[in-house]
Amino acid sequence: MTVARALIPWGGLFCCFTAAAQPDTLLLAVDEHYIMGDAGMDPSPDLERYNRFNPAVGGDSTRRCDGLPCTGWIEDRYPGGQTKHRGYYDNGQLVLYKNYHPNGQVERDFKRNDDVRGTERSWHANGQPRSEARYADGQVQRYQDHYVNGAVRYVEERERNAGCYTRMELFDAQGLPISSMKQVDKGKGLLELSEYHPGGVLKCRGRARCDRGSLETMRIGTWVYFDAAGNKVREEDYIDGKVHAVR
């Protein structure tokens, strides 16, 4: 399962990285302190391994039973006898399934909508939601994850076929925004990006353009910066990701 992405400024470029349990510090300004909640433990590798039998999330393996591709319902158990996995297989690949934490709480619930689309929900061991994801063609099209207390931590959406991201939002433990990116013109690939001071006060805002070939996102136009009290402190003009003027 994909857990988090980071929108990391590098000069005028914004690069999107995907990783399991991406540290929140990679998404934050290094000179400010944000109150981040508990994102929980990474999913158990013992449960993650079922993804390889799930083509909707990019899996390409076939589970075999007595030498033949498995078909029908299969249930796996922990050494103590608790249900770990219960899924329906078609020709060795998962169509729908549930995994379980050792305490009996559902860990995830996946349903394949058709040959290329699927939806997945997962939960922390305490029963609070962990994530929701929509897949298309083996790629995440929409993703949202939660802190251990159930509060939303991160949301992202992207175009089909692993295209440009159209939405990215990160929130602190109190639900206040830390950063956001939203598509404002699909045809031109234009995005509006905002960063916030701790406490939710706007820190800067401006536009960027996503190149659908390289998937790089470069700052363009005028970016406006504010101090923690909301006062405008400067403006920067960007051309193709590079600062052209400061005033």
Side-chain angles (χ1 to χ4, degrees), residues 6-237:
L7 184 65
I8 306 176
W10 185 262
L13 293 174
F14 280 75
C15 302
C16 300
F17 297 87
T18 300
Q22 188 87 26
D24 290 318
T25 51
L26 292 182
L27 289 84
L28 310 180
V30 296
D31 59 341
E32 296 193 294
H33 177 67
Y34 297 84
I35 302 174
M36 304 304 296
D38 183 0
M41 301 292 292
D42 289 345
S44 165
D46 194 35
L47 297 177
E48 283 282 278
R49 70 185 183 92
Y50 291 102
N51 282 352
R52 61 182 173 167
F53 305 123
N54 188 350
V57 303
D60 59 3
S61 297
T62 299
R63 184 168 183 176
R64 295 186 175 275
C65 300
D66 298 324
L68 298 175
C70 300
T71 298
W73 288 101
I74 294 179
E75 185 169 316
D76 297 327
R77 294 182 177 273
Y78 288 104
Q82 314 97 307
T83 299
K84 177 172 67 174
H85 166 83
R86 187 172 188 270
Y88 186 85
Y89 290 76
D90 179 19
N91 200 31
Q93 296 186 322
L94 281 163
V95 176
L96 57 95
Y97 67 99
K98 288 183 180 181
N99 291 343
Y100 296 83
H101 291 285
N103 65 2
Q105 165 64 43
V106 176
E107 187 266 346
R108 75 185 68 183
D109 182 356
F110 174 86
K111 293 182 177 65
R112 193 197 302 178
N113 300 331
D114 54 35
D115 289 343
V116 297
R117 296 179 301 161
T119 57
E120 181 181 77
R121 295 180 297 162
S122 70
W123 291 264
H124 295 287
N126 64 1
Q128 292 290 349
R130 177 187 178 85
S131 66
E132 300 90 37
R134 289 204 311 260
Y135 293 87
D137 304 308
Q139 301 287 336
V140 176
Q141 191 172 11
R142 188 185 189 281
Y143 177 84
Q144 177 172 303
D145 71 24
H146 304 256
Y147 291 110
V148 168
N149 65 3
V152 174
R153 188 191 79 89
Y154 178 77
V155 181
E156 75 171 31
E157 297 177 3
R158 70 185 308 178
E159 298 171 344
R160 290 286 297 269
N161 301 317
C164 293
Y165 285 93
T166 59
R167 180 186 178 192
M168 281 185 171
E169 294 183 276
L170 178 67
F171 302 91
D172 68 13
Q174 300 172 311
L176 297 172
I178 294 174
S179 62
S180 71
M181 181 182 77
K182 297 181 180 180
Q183 188 179 72
V184 293
D185 190 320
K186 181 178 180 179
K188 297 180 180 180
L190 295 181
L191 307 161
E192 182 176 83
L193 292 90
S194 303
E195 297 178 19
Y196 299 84
H197 292 284
V201 176
L202 183 63
K203 179 179 181 180
C204 67
R205 176 169 289 164
R207 289 195 169 188
R209 179 184 294 112
C210 177
D211 184 304
R212 290 188 170 90
S214 66
L215 298 184
E216 288 184 341
T217 301
M218 297 185 294
R219 291 187 178 195
I220 60 172
T222 300
W223 280 63
V224 184
Y225 292 78
F226 304 87
D227 63 22
N231 303 305
K232 186 169 74 173
V233 294
R234 75 177 187 278
E235 294 182 350
E236 294 178 349
D237 293 335

